[in-house]
Every structure is written in C-alpha cells, then in structure tokens.
Amino acid sequence: MSPTAALLEEKLDISVEELMEALSDEAKAEELIAAQGWTRDDLLERAEALTRSLSADISTLNMV
C-alpha cells in the first residue's frame, strides 16, 4: 500500500476497498453503516474525502 493510500485510510477510518464496495452496493452500505455506528452523512463524508483525494492524485499525475 502506498503512503498516500495508508494516510487516506487512516483519515477515512476504513479501507478504500471496503468504502468503494459500500458505495457500489446498497446492502453493503447499510451493513457498514450499522457496523460502524455511522449515519448516511458519515458515509457520504468519507466518499467525498475519497473523491477529493483521487482528484488531487489525478491532478498530480497530469502535471508530470
């Protein structure tokens, strides 16, 4: 795992893979929300943080 991914996962409190699965599957999202004690807003905040991180990484790649 890259240092950037590790830092992101620490910030998200969840693995990127697990978050991506939950975002693409409603049942998994509900399971994750219940298991973590989150609200839908908590899940969406993490999704937005992931999106911002991916966008920043893509911008960095485009500059090279």
Side-chain angles (χ1 to χ4, degrees):
M1 177 184 313
S2 74
T4 303
L7 183 60
L8 178 61
E9 288 184 358
E10 183 178 316
K11 183 177 179 181
L12 296 175
D13 298 328
I14 187 174
S15 73
V16 171
E17 292 83 11
E18 192 175 3
L19 179 58
M20 293 297 293
E21 285 180 23
L23 294 172
S24 64
D25 184 324
E26 183 72 24
K28 287 184 182 185
E30 293 301 325
E31 289 174 19
L32 182 62
I33 288 169
Q36 297 289 337
W38 293 346
T39 64
R40 282 195 157 288
D41 287 341
D42 294 327
L43 182 63
L44 292 175
E45 283 178 28
R46 285 162 176 82
E48 289 171 1
L50 177 59
T51 300
R52 286 190 300 272
S53 177
L54 290 172
S55 295
D57 288 347
I58 289 169
S59 294
T60 301
L61 289 173
N62 287 336
M63 294 175 72
V64 174

